Amino acid sequence: MSVSETDPRPEAPRGRHEDRAPNGRVVDAWTDGHDAAGEIARDLAAAISGEVRFGAGDRALYSTDSSNYRQVPIGVVVPRSAEDVVRALEVCRRHDAPVTMRGGGTSLAGQTCNTAVVFDFSKYLRRVLDIDPGARRARVEPGCVLDVLRHEAEAHGLTFGPDPATHDHNTLGGMIGNNSCGVHSVQTGRTADNVEALDVVTYDGVRFTAGKTSDEAFRAIQERGGRLAEIYREMDAFRRRWGPRIRAAYPDIPRRVSGYADLDKLNPEHGFDVAKALVGTEGTLVTVLSADLRLVEHEPERVLLIIGVDDIVEAAELVPMVLEHGPVGCEGIDDFLVDSMKRKHLNVDDLKLLPEGSNWLVVEFAGRTGEEAAGKAEGLRKALGNRGHHEARLVRRQARQQRIWRIREAGLPGSAYVPDRPETWEGWEDTAVPRERLADYLRGFKKLLDKYGYVSPLYGHFGDGLVHARISYDLKSEEGIVAWRKFLDEAADLVISLGGSLSGEHGDGQARGELLERMYGPEIIEAFREFKRIFDPGNRMNPGKVVDPYPISSNLRLGPSYRPPELHTHFAFQEDGGFAGAAERCVGVGKCRRPSSDGQVMCPSYMVTLEEKHSTRGRARMLFEMVHGGAIDDGWKSDEVEDALKLCLACKGCKSDCPVNVDMATYKAEFRSHYYRNRLRPRSAYSMGLIYWWARAASKTPNLVNRALGAPGIGRLLKKIGGIAPEREMPRFARRTFGDWFDTRVRPPAEGREPVVLWPDTFNNFFRPETAVAAVEVLEAAGYAVSIPRRPLCCGRPLYDEGMLDTAKRLWRQTLSVLDPVIEAGTPMVGLEPACVAAFKDELVNLFPDDAKARRLSEQTHLFADFMADRLDRLDLEPAGERRALVQVHCNHHAIIGGEGEQRLLAAMGIDAEFAPSGCCGMAGSFGFAEKTYEVGLAAGERVILPMVRGQDEATAILADGFSCREQIEQGTGRRTRHVAEALRDLVKTGHGTDRPGHR
């Protein structure tokens, strides 16, 4: 039995537009002049302890989900408790305001965007309330992330069966709303099949527990009387009138999700199960406050059998025979999806695990032991015999299985924004047919795609007859919209002719609601209306979805009428055709909303605050709304956009970890360059952003500057002036810079040595020169003639986060001029600071996309670890012995360069290295120093890396190449850090001088 709070976080900073509620609490005011909305906001703030957000930025954040649709809400409520939800509904009812419930906001059919008051359950109502292992049940709040429940349940040998690809960030309330399924529904069924009871409240305030209703329970409800008795009496009449017709009309397939797909559960043979009847109704009937869920045995040992075939239809034809062998999952992957990933350089190494063939079935077997699971797989492999497939490859190692699942789970985003292919869209992405008709459906569907000139991947849960697609409709022209609607009608008719369902796990929302009458006929549609009237007679619960839906082609996020302005920018945004295209890039899949890093960086501020606006998706939505206009009309001068961007650490994690490569650090730099034009920036922008110039000045009298910064009075005053957090210790300037040391040292003869340039970045030149000295000694021991630029230079890394792009471009032009001989000669340049090397790889070519010298310099620049990993045979090394190290990979290193080189280098050095799965350390340049962002930066560090460092014994070295990481770790733990260049220098069998510049 357990009650667990899942990572409570500090409240995020509030918005700029504020007013006072009658009880004195602050409430964000809706600033668009809507008096009615303002009254709702004030009444809500007086009634609940949660957060009330009616500002323009808040409304912009929730204007869309992962669908093609956009509807700006009236406002947003973030309840702290179930009682908050009940009280907030009462206020909305008093004002006759419609409401929409939202979990992770990943709905693909438009269920979670509406012109309504949106309730976001994902920040506070996210707990596992109870687990009863004996009864195999769990009780959760609606905002609980699926993987949080699964992690706790697996401690008891149990799990929750349905598991969509978004399992690490989707919420169980959303799964209940959409009747989600996932890979393992072959064995465990849909969400509806795993819900035992629901604590719900209606729009008119009736709160009750829905579940199976015995005759005795029904009589007791009637005896109590009131509105609940009326609801149950009307449901009883409904099932008696409609039960036989529903039995006849509903398709008998495992993935029936479309419409009110479980009204048959009201029939006597199902025990008058109201809870199951409410699952999949997409928030149009009731609000779920908590859920009792069925848990199933978690068979820990898994194997995969991957079958390679020539055509995806062949894969579908194998499904009935595959299912005879009892798999727990059976997934199809087609050549289009794999080719898309190759073009995007997504999961490329993972794709190598697929056997020969151009299309594949991935079949998963489970058992109590590995041998039991493998035995089932071998049975299928033997039965397959020679059926024309290329190979059936057994994968037993768990790490390799996870890599295969990464391919499958990246299906939706992996097929979006594919180079040299047309744009693709959701909207017909989860149809399901009987398993034995799957091949027929794929044949007919491929012909239909060809007829309309569309392309799409075809993959998905083949074991349940479900096909995922992302299709190249034209949603931006009138002609394209007309063709799209005709296609949907024909596609619906194809599915219906095969006895299928328009939706097999994502629900209908607006994307398919209008097509439901084709599937069920007008009589059953009237039954849906009648059932909705029982619970929501005023049509205030998510109106326009499922029942009497908005037309499919209305409320489009883009569409023919969307004409974004032409924006002049510093960065090129060539892949997107400009900044407006970049602002459209996010597809809303929400991977950035994971509550933990699991070795990836994105998105550290969200992991701390659990705020939508601090996720990559939230910020991307804000920028889109800025370009779109409506909710946000101030363009580049929008305070709401700046408020969302101010906690972006510019870690660049999203550029690598986001499946569609949203590059928020670049977007932030571009936005701030315009936002702060002709206005003052925060003080920290001048103290930390201009560190290159301050460091050059301080290097003239480093001891005096260090004493001033360290003195209690003047140091505190200088921090205040510079906008630096008083808790921070300022880095100490070196008594002697690396450049001074290099210019005065005795160098080995250059004759016979290959030339290499060492980039003396600001941080290692002025603060940690011992690192650069170690690098010189290693490079010279490897036979290189080391040089440095003839004058101090800077890549401008600290300037980007502040939007000082004009200054950054001036520095780049200076660098290109000074390094012109190096560029012409093709001499490799080695950098020590990952953030600076990343600037050469990323910002340089993005700011100067047509400059051939800039591109060549970018290609000639290497991170020290990568450079030496390929040249370690040049060195004579001492044995590492029992050396151990904990390694913190800099976030820019992870995102832009990749950490493979450092891993190879440390392995070749013989060091037992553990790489911390911490993502960003939280310092992120000036972010962790600045007074306004210090707390969030420290909280990011305290998530993983700082506790890990404190847990290491003194014999374990702490390796971190990034200056920011080293400062965060040393200030947060007191442990000394080292650069990999220093660790490598210690193993090199060579003499070296002792005249090294001092750090302290």
Side-chain angles (χ1 to χ4, degrees):
M1 306 281 285
S2 69
V3 176
S4 62
E5 187 78 40
T6 59
D7 291 328
R9 302 291 197 267
E11 270 194 68
R14 301 192 67 83
R16 293 172 59 91
H17 304 292
E18 297 182 342
D19 203 348
R20 292 279 168 183
N23 63 2
R25 288 200 309 107
V26 174
V27 55
D28 293 346
W30 200 32
T31 58
D32 292 355
H34 293 266
D35 294 337
E39 291 177 13
I40 297 172
R42 287 177 174 81
D43 288 353
L44 284 167
I48 70 172
S49 62
E51 298 169 25
V52 180
R53 303 173 176 181
F54 276 54
D58 302 306
R59 295 168 58 236
L61 274 174
Y62 290 84
S63 63
T64 188
D65 43 24
S66 195
S67 71
N68 296 322
Y69 299 101
R70 172 183 179 270
Q71 292 176 276
V72 179
I74 298 169
V76 180
V77 172
V78 186
R80 291 180 182 270
S81 64
E83 290 69 28
D84 264 0
V85 178
V86 174
R87 288 191 291 266
L89 282 171
E90 193 278 328
V91 172
C92 292
R93 181 167 67 252
R94 201 161 64 234
H95 289 273
D96 197 33
V99 297
T100 293
M101 306 301 151
R102 181 174 171 124
T106 59
S107 294
L108 289 158
Q111 296 97 321
T112 56
C113 58
N114 215 325
T115 306
V117 177
V118 173
F119 286 56
D120 182 352
F121 292 103
S122 65
K123 183 176 181 181
Y124 296 119
L125 292 174
R126 52 187 295 111
R127 296 178 301 166
V128 176
L129 297 172
D130 182 66
I131 290 180
D132 185 338
R136 295 191 174 186
R137 286 170 72 125
R139 178 175 295 121
V140 299
E141 292 178 318
C144 179
V145 171
L146 172 58
D147 271 5
V148 173
L149 170 62
R150 294 206 303 175
H151 175 73
E152 293 204 23
E154 284 169 10
H156 305 285
L158 303 170
T159 192
F160 185 66
D163 56 345
T166 52
H167 53 83
D168 62 358
H169 59 278
N170 74 278
T171 66
L172 285 151
M175 292 179 65
I176 291 167
N178 291 347
N179 202 358
S180 300
C181 303
V183 169
H184 298 107
S185 64
V186 169
Q187 180 186 41
T188 61
R190 307 160 304 156
T191 296
D193 304 314
N194 294 274
V195 167
E196 299 291 339
L198 298 173
D199 178 13
V200 301
V201 60
T202 64
Y203 184 80
D204 55 10
V206 180
R207 182 175 179 179
F208 65 100
T209 299
K212 287 188 176 181
T213 314
S214 65
D215 291 344
E216 181 181 359
F218 180 78
R219 285 193 296 270
I221 292 170
Q222 295 306 305
E223 288 172 1
R224 287 196 294 271
R227 173 70 173 124
L228 183 60
E230 178 186 337
I231 290 172
Y232 270 81
R233 189 164 55 249
E234 290 181 357
M235 280 196 292
D236 184 48
F238 176 89
R239 66 175 181 151
R240 295 177 189 278
R241 180 165 58 255
W242 289 103
R245 282 175 278 186
I246 285 172
R247 284 193 195 96
Y250 278 18
D252 185 17
I253 60 172
R255 287 299 190 95
R256 184 185 73 226
V257 169
S258 273
Y260 292 162
D262 282 273
L263 293 183
D264 60 334
K265 300 303 187 296
L266 298 175
N267 290 337
E269 64 267 26
H270 297 293
F272 196 177
D273 196 332
V274 178
K276 287 181 170 55
L278 292 173
V279 174
T281 56
E282 303 183 17
T284 62
L285 303 181
V286 297
T287 297
V288 175
L289 303 175
S290 69
D292 284 16
L293 306 175
R294 178 173 72 100
L295 301 177
V296 297
E297 183 181 1
H298 174 63
E299 295 179 286
E301 298 300 326
R302 306 289 172 112
V303 301
L304 298 180
L305 189 70
I306 310 174
I307 307 166
V309 296
D310 289 326
D311 187 83
I312 197 64
V313 175
E314 293 179 43
E317 289 173 335
L318 291 174
V319 167
M321 188 267 285
V322 167
L323 294 177
E324 293 174 4
H325 292 265
V328 297
C330 178
E331 301 290 296
I333 299 175
D334 79 334
D335 53 349
F336 187 101
L337 178 59
V338 168
D339 180 66
S340 296
M341 292 186 184
K342 289 177 179 177
R343 291 174 185 238
K344 294 181 66 173
H345 306 290
L346 179 66
N347 300 327
V348 174
D349 290 337
D350 301 337
L351 295 174
K352 297 174 183 176
L353 296 176
L354 296 173
E356 183 182 353
S358 54
N359 297 264
W360 298 268
L361 269 184
V362 178
V363 188
E364 184 178 42
F365 292 92
R368 294 181 179 277
T369 66
E371 291 306 315
E372 179 186 352
K376 297 175 185 178
E378 291 292 357
L380 172 58
R381 180 150 62 177
K382 182 178 179 181
L384 284 168
N386 185 15
R387 286 174 167 257
H389 63 275
H390 292 285
E391 180 186 356
R393 177 177 296 174
L394 185 64
V395 179
R396 297 188 62 165
R397 289 171 54 186
Q398 187 176 22
R400 291 194 170 191
Q401 292 179 45
Q402 290 174 347
R403 292 170 63 187
I404 296 295
W405 288 128
R406 278 205 299 261
I407 299 171
R408 171 58 192 83
E409 290 175 0
L412 186 158
S415 54
Y417 293 100
V418 180
D420 301 318
R421 278 192 174 160
E423 289 180 282
T424 57
W425 308 94
E426 49 279 329
W428 191 260
E429 79 291 333
D430 70 319
T431 51
V433 297
R435 296 153 170 163
E436 61 275 10
R437 306 299 302 275
L438 179 59
D440 295 334
Y441 173 68
L442 287 173
R443 290 189 192 95
F445 192 61
K446 291 175 79 172
K447 289 179 181 177
L448 189 59
L449 291 172
D450 291 342
K451 175 182 175 180
Y452 282 85
Y454 295 153
V455 296
S456 175
L458 299 171
Y459 64 100
H461 310 301
F462 279 22
D464 271 340
L466 184 141
V467 178
H468 286 315
R470 187 176 173 90
I471 304 172
S472 59
Y473 322 115
D474 171 12
L475 298 185
K476 296 183 177 180
S477 73
E478 295 287 356
E479 298 81 5
I481 298 294
V482 170
W484 172 49
R485 276 302 285 113
K486 290 180 179 178
F487 168 82
L488 292 179
D489 287 342
E490 291 191 49
D493 289 343
L494 173 63
V495 170
I496 295 162
S497 72
L498 296 171
S501 175
L502 304 177
S503 171
E505 66 179 347
H506 297 160
D508 304 298
Q510 186 172 348
R512 287 171 290 275
E514 195 180 4
L515 300 172
L516 287 174
E517 190 165 344
R518 293 180 96 93
M519 176 177 170
Y520 285 113
E523 187 178 46
I524 297 299
I525 295 301
E526 183 54 41
F528 291 171
R529 288 194 186 98
E530 184 176 324
F531 195 67
K532 179 172 172 64
R533 284 194 294 268
I534 293 173
F535 290 91
D536 181 31
N539 192 28
R540 299 287 82 188
M541 295 291 295
N542 212 12
K545 310 299 164 108
V546 186
V547 172
D548 297 321
Y550 296 107
I552 289 173
S553 57
S554 65
N555 300 323
L556 289 174
R557 184 161 58 92
L558 300 174
S561 63
Y562 178 53
R563 293 287 184 270
E566 184 177 348
L567 300 171
H568 299 285
T569 58
H570 296 277
F571 290 103
F573 302 106
Q574 285 185 323
E575 291 184 3
D576 298 293
F579 187 83
E584 296 172 16
R585 176 171 282 270
C586 175
V587 297
V589 74
K591 188 179 178 184
C592 49
R593 285 173 50 91
R594 293 167 305 137
S596 60
S597 58
D598 297 327
Q600 293 191 317
V601 173
M602 179 184 69
C603 179
S605 53
Y606 175 79
M607 294 178 203
V608 170
T609 68
L610 298 179
E611 285 283 356
E612 175 73 15
K613 71 177 177 181
H614 297 145
S615 68
T616 303
R617 181 181 73 180
R619 296 179 178 118
R621 293 307 194 214
M622 293 291 283
L623 289 166
F624 171 78
E625 290 292 332
M626 179 196 82
V627 175
H628 187 285
I632 295 176
D633 292 318
D634 299 331
W636 292 121
K637 297 300 182 181
S638 169
D639 292 338
E640 291 83 7
V641 175
E642 167 61 16
D643 185 53
L645 291 172
K646 68 185 180 185
L647 291 189
C648 168
L649 285 82
C651 66
K652 287 189 173 288
C654 49
K655 185 160 185 175
S656 63
D657 297 348
C658 169
V660 294
N661 308 117
V662 167
D663 184 4
M664 193 53 59
T666 299
Y667 304 170
K668 177 184 181 181
E670 186 66 56
F671 172 81
R672 282 189 156 182
S673 72
H674 302 277
Y675 179 80
Y676 283 112
R677 188 173 297 280
N678 300 322
R679 64 168 75 177
L680 288 173
R681 288 172 163 82
R683 295 192 305 277
S684 60
Y686 302 104
S687 62
M688 302 300 291
L690 304 178
I691 189 66
Y692 167 62
W693 290 274
W694 293 120
R696 290 180 65 184
S699 68
K700 308 301 181 184
T701 56
N703 293 335
L704 178 63
V705 173
N706 288 336
R707 283 197 297 272
L709 289 173
I714 191 171
R716 190 161 49 248
L717 176 62
L718 290 172
K719 290 179 187 178
K720 185 70 174 176
I721 293 171
I724 306 301
E727 299 88 343
R728 276 295 175 203
E729 177 184 338
M730 297 305 295
R732 296 178 63 82
F733 291 94
R735 293 191 299 270
R736 185 182 181 195
T737 70
F738 165 72
D740 289 343
W741 173 87
F742 191 89
D743 289 341
T744 58
R745 67 188 288 265
V746 177
R747 305 180 200 177
E751 185 177 349
R753 291 174 173 264
E754 295 178 42
V756 66
V757 176
L758 184 66
W759 176 257
D761 62 88
T762 298
F763 310 107
N764 286 307
N765 187 22
F766 295 105
F767 295 98
R768 294 182 183 266
E770 65 274 16
T771 296
V773 172
V776 169
E777 293 173 351
V778 169
L779 290 167
E780 289 181 346
Y784 288 98
V786 182
S787 63
I788 64 174
R790 66 175 186 268
R791 54 153 299 175
L793 297 171
C794 181
C795 68
R797 165 56 64 199
L799 300 171
Y800 304 118
D801 189 50
E802 309 299 345
M804 297 176 170
L805 299 185
D806 288 324
T807 304
K809 287 193 285 188
R810 285 197 296 272
L811 287 176
W812 277 125
R813 292 188 186 100
Q814 189 178 79
T815 295
L816 290 169
S817 175
V818 171
L819 294 182
D820 184 67
V822 173
I823 299 170
E824 290 299 321
T827 305
M829 187 167 73
V830 175
L832 296 165
E833 169 58 46
C836 296
V837 174
F840 280 90
K841 297 294 185 184
D842 191 5
E843 279 85 1
L844 173 58
V845 291
N846 286 337
L847 287 169
F848 301 93
D850 301 319
D851 190 319
K853 288 186 177 180
R855 191 161 297 281
R856 287 169 60 186
L857 180 57
S858 175
E859 293 168 355
Q860 289 169 223
T861 304
H862 309 271
L863 188 67
F864 176 86
D866 294 348
F867 190 79
M868 291 311 304
D870 295 328
R871 296 162 177 81
L872 205 60
D873 57 352
R874 289 171 171 255
L875 296 173
D876 187 11
L877 299 181
E878 299 277 2
E882 298 296 322
R883 300 196 189 194
R884 301 186 306 277
L886 175 66
V887 185
Q888 168 67 14
V889 176
H890 189 283
C891 50
N892 287 182
H893 185 175
H894 165 91
I896 304 301
I897 306 166
E900 297 81 6
E902 189 166 29
Q903 293 176 23
R904 288 190 293 114
L905 178 62
L906 291 171
M909 289 166 60
I911 293 178
D912 181 11
E914 178 185 5
F915 286 79
S918 59
C920 182
C921 73
M923 183 65 86
S926 63
F927 190 94
F929 280 95
E931 186 174 18
K932 292 183 177 180
T933 52
Y934 164 78
E935 289 186 3
V936 173
L938 185 61
E942 290 291 356
R943 286 189 55 259
V944 179
I945 185 60
L946 297 183
M948 280 193 76
V949 170
R950 294 185 193 111
Q952 303 300 312
D953 59 38
E954 290 298 323
T956 301
I958 310 300
L959 297 185
D961 290 354
F963 178 80
S964 293
C965 304
R966 299 182 73 175
E967 287 295 319
Q968 180 80 308
I969 292 169
E970 291 182 357
Q971 293 196 31
T973 69
R975 287 291 300 269
R976 178 171 175 257
T977 63
R978 309 193 77 209
H979 192 284
V980 70
E982 297 173 278
L984 180 55
R985 190 268 315 277
D986 288 350
L987 298 179
V988 174
K989 292 180 180 178
T990 180
H992 47 68
T994 57
D995 181 25
R996 300 194 183 102
H999 182 197
R1000 296 296 174 186

